[in-house]
Amino acid sequence: LRLARPYAGSSSRQASQVILSGRHRRQKHMQGEEKIRILIIEDDENFRYLLRMHLSSAGYEVQVAVDGVDGGRALLAQTPHLIVSDLDMPFLDGFELLSLLKQDQATASIPVILLTGSLDKDMLARAVGLGAADFLTKPVTHEDLLASVEACLRISGGKGS
């Protein structure tokens, strides 16, 4: 993954953090299998916190990033099974990130769920054209988020239900 834009203010950004908590509802994850890693890329701190809470409480290992550039760094450090990314972010938006991911053989198969505060047909068409696994409109309910994550993991051959 090559990040095309320089990252201004990188010294003031926190490093990505890994949150390991919760128990997955499914028996197979309680039997010692590797936890499913999900990378959340979201610039809104409160929404990022809610996404992390929903996913970690469902038993997923959650890694967070504050923008597309930070997400690229986190991705290079540890490959996730799935990415949940905001669309409208500074430095590298969700479309640009998705495009870069799909161009690289090492990351092309990682399913990406895009999140946006407003949905229009052009955005949805562009997301599908770039290879997004799903497209959710904020606010996202706990149930919709988990249903999307589980469906994307199942379709991709990941370790979802």
Side-chain angles (χ1 to χ4, degrees):
L1 173 67
R2 280 181 259 138
L3 302 174
R5 294 183 185 180
Y7 182 51
S10 60
S11 61
S12 66
R13 296 289 184 189
Q14 275 187 312
S16 297
Q17 57 186 7
V18 176
I19 304 298
L20 298 172
S21 65
R23 294 183 72 136
H24 203 283
R25 296 175 308 224
R26 289 175 203 78
Q27 185 65 28
K28 65 182 180 178
H29 294 290
M30 294 180 200
Q31 297 174 347
E33 278 191 28
E34 174 189 20
K35 278 193 172 186
I36 297 169
R37 283 184 308 282
I38 298 177
L39 173 60
I40 296 170
I41 306 172
E42 170 63 57
D43 61 326
D44 181 285
E45 183 178 358
N46 293 327
F47 196 67
R48 186 172 61 239
Y49 175 79
L50 288 174
L51 290 171
R52 181 177 65 203
M53 292 270 305
H54 288 314
L55 294 172
S56 62
S57 71
Y60 295 106
E61 177 183 326
V62 180
Q63 188 175 12
V64 295
V66 298
D67 58 46
V69 175
D70 192 33
R73 288 186 185 132
L75 180 71
L76 292 172
Q78 186 174 29
T79 304
H81 295 95
L82 181 126
I83 297 170
V84 177
S85 177
D86 188 18
L87 193 55
D88 186 26
M89 298 180 292
F91 310 114
L92 187 70
D93 71 25
F95 285 135
E96 294 167 323
L97 178 66
L98 180 59
S99 180
L100 289 171
L101 292 171
K102 297 303 176 183
Q103 291 174 30
D104 188 330
Q105 277 188 326
T107 58
S109 65
I110 300 171
V112 178
I113 298 171
L114 291 176
L115 303 168
T116 186
S118 62
L119 177 65
D120 66 44
K121 291 180 183 180
D122 292 336
M123 280 183 165
L124 182 57
R126 186 171 177 202
V128 169
L130 288 171
D134 202 356
F135 197 90
L136 299 174
T137 305
K138 296 177 187 177
V140 178
T141 67
H142 175 81
E143 293 78 17
D144 288 345
L145 177 64
L146 291 182
S148 177
V149 165
E150 291 168 6
C152 290
L153 288 168
R154 199 170 33 253
I155 290 168
S156 73
K159 298 175 185 177
S161 53

